Amino acid sequence: MSVNTPKNMRMPEKGASMLPLSVVIVTMNNKKYLQTCLSSLYSGELQAAFEVIIVDNGSTDGTQLMLREMFPEVQLLQHKVNVGLSRASNCGIAASRGRYVMLLNDDTVVDGSSIERMIDFLDAHSDAAAVGGRLLNPDGSLQAGYNYFPSLTEEFLIATRIGNMLQAGYPLREGNGEVRPVDWLGSACLLLRREALSEVGLLNEEYFIYGDEVDLQYRLRHAGWSIYYLPFSSTIHFGGRSMDRWRRRKMVYRGKMLFYRNNYGRLRSALLRLMFSGLTASKLLAWIGAFTIPKLRDRARRELRSNLDVLRLCRKLM
């Protein structure tokens, strides 16, 4: 099976004039949060020279006008429609010229000193392909730390919510506050070494959204590179701005199943789909029952459609 992991997108050659940092932000109809994100980037706390590349996936909320009026220095790449997060990110990376490339969500607030520490760490550790820090909720509580590569046990605990009964926010991991090599980090704020991307390729565009960052870091790790979690760097991430929970469920499950199919082989991929099918079928039965209760009918209708979408995916992604 052919997997779309672009390796030959345009990159500056060695010796060419390179900035220390390129920041790539994909956006779609999120003008308010994008403005806040860019204001935090340009606040003056970030001392390293940097460029910002905005890849717009067909916004119709006045994003382009806001950028022209308030942030004319950004480079804007415009798509007429939503081409997906991975493809849009790749377009931004290909247009960038920084020694390091930061993938940054448009609904984040960054701290310049945290980014400086991430750059310094990559400068000092040639084995590191990527670094990231703590993702915080707007109230300052921990949203995400580091992750292990997916396992069937973990997927079961997440899907059944048993994991959350055992540990609040499961599979939330922060460690003991020390710098550590990890399997993978979320891409809401992820700093990548261009040299490593040139070796393993960019994001797999088969993932529309969700799963692409896990796939990339899996390839980086298997190519001998390291991923580091820096607990002393942090970014505020509002989260959940791109789609509602029911559509998000379908895309999250799609990303999980694609990752297994692309990286874990037929047996584990089949076991994952079998597990998801069984759990989803049980949820469907429960929501069919809930549909008979008038005050739950609207919620039940959305849940039934969402879970039917997941069940169809389990059969399709074979």
Side-chain angles (χ1 to χ4, degrees):
M1 179 187 64
S2 174
V3 177
N4 187 1
T5 54
K7 290 190 178 183
N8 298 315
M9 302 186 82
R10 181 178 62 84
M11 299 280 187
E13 298 179 1
K14 275 193 172 182
S17 175
M18 272 194 181
L19 290 167
L21 175 65
S22 295
V23 180
V24 175
I25 302 173
V26 177
T27 193
M28 180 183 172
N29 291 331
N30 212 11
K31 177 177 68 173
K32 175 183 174 182
Y33 286 93
L34 177 61
Q35 179 180 333
T36 300
C37 175
L38 291 173
S39 294
S40 69
L41 261 176
Y42 286 112
S43 66
E45 295 181 10
L46 181 55
Q47 300 303 310
F50 66 96
E51 64 178 354
V52 177
I53 299 169
I54 306 292
V55 187
D56 181 56
N57 270 344
S59 291
T60 57
D61 65 346
T63 289
Q64 301 90 343
L65 178 61
M66 181 273 290
L67 291 173
R68 286 195 298 269
E69 291 182 346
M70 300 188 65
F71 304 99
E73 61 269 55
V74 307
Q75 181 180 348
L76 175 62
L77 304 180
Q78 184 68 55
H79 292 292
K80 293 182 179 179
V81 296
N82 184 4
V83 300
L85 180 62
S86 54
R87 180 179 170 188
S89 297
N90 284 347
C91 290
I93 296 170
S96 70
R97 54 196 178 97
R99 185 169 71 253
Y100 304 128
V101 179
M102 173 168 282
L103 298 181
L104 186 65
N105 278 23
D106 61 359
D107 58 346
T108 56
V109 176
V110 299
D111 171 57
S113 59
S114 287
I115 297 176
E116 292 282 356
R117 287 192 286 268
M118 293 164 72
I119 293 172
D120 291 344
F121 189 90
L122 285 185
D123 282 343
H125 297 80
S126 60
D127 66 308
V131 292
R134 303 160 73 235
L135 294 180
L136 305 177
N137 293 306
D139 64 3
S141 61
L142 182 67
Q143 181 183 108
Y146 63 90
N147 306 280
Y148 295 124
F149 288 128
S151 70
L152 290 171
T153 300
E154 181 177 280
E155 297 297 355
F156 176 80
L157 293 174
I158 293 172
T160 59
R161 299 188 180 180
I162 293 175
N164 204 47
M165 298 176 191
L166 301 174
Q167 173 197 316
Y170 182 86
L172 182 67
R173 299 184 180 94
E174 189 178 19
N176 56 6
E178 296 181 356
V179 173
R180 60 185 298 160
V182 298
D183 282 352
W184 69 277
L185 300 161
S187 60
C189 182
L190 182 67
L191 188 62
L192 295 153
R193 186 184 300 273
R194 181 178 298 276
E195 178 186 351
L197 292 176
S198 297
E199 179 181 334
V200 306
L202 303 185
L203 296 161
N204 184 342
E205 295 178 5
E206 190 176 16
Y207 300 86
F208 191 83
I209 186 174
Y210 301 122
D212 53 332
E213 76 275 40
V214 194
D215 182 275
L216 173 60
Q217 291 169 81
Y218 187 83
R219 287 185 278 124
L220 287 166
R221 287 291 307 277
H222 278 256
W225 291 94
S226 297
I227 313 294
Y228 284 93
Y229 173 63
L230 310 184
F232 47 74
S233 292
S234 60
T235 302
I236 295 172
H237 180 220
F238 289 90
R241 306 292 158 181
S242 57
M243 61 184 74
D244 62 43
R245 58 180 294 186
W246 293 281
R247 186 177 172 220
R248 185 181 302 111
R249 174 186 290 151
K250 174 183 175 180
M251 300 309 294
V252 168
Y253 274 81
R254 183 179 186 274
K256 290 175 184 288
M257 287 186 276
L258 279 176
F259 177 84
Y260 270 70
R261 190 190 71 181
N262 291 342
N263 298 292
Y264 280 178
R266 291 184 179 181
L267 177 59
R268 278 199 283 180
S269 177
L271 289 172
L272 181 76
R273 286 185 286 104
L274 182 63
M275 179 178 70
F276 282 166
S277 295
L279 293 173
T280 301
S282 67
K283 292 177 184 178
L284 282 169
L285 290 174
W287 283 110
I288 287 172
F291 192 78
T292 63
I293 303 173
K295 66 179 181 179
L296 294 178
R297 191 160 292 161
D298 185 61
R299 166 81 183 275
R301 184 180 291 108
R302 292 173 180 266
E303 293 286 351
L304 286 169
R305 288 174 180 168
S306 176
N307 281 287
L308 278 172
D309 284 341
V310 173
L311 200 58
R312 295 187 188 103
L313 278 175
C314 291
R315 299 181 61 183
K316 181 178 180 181
L317 296 176
M318 299 178 65

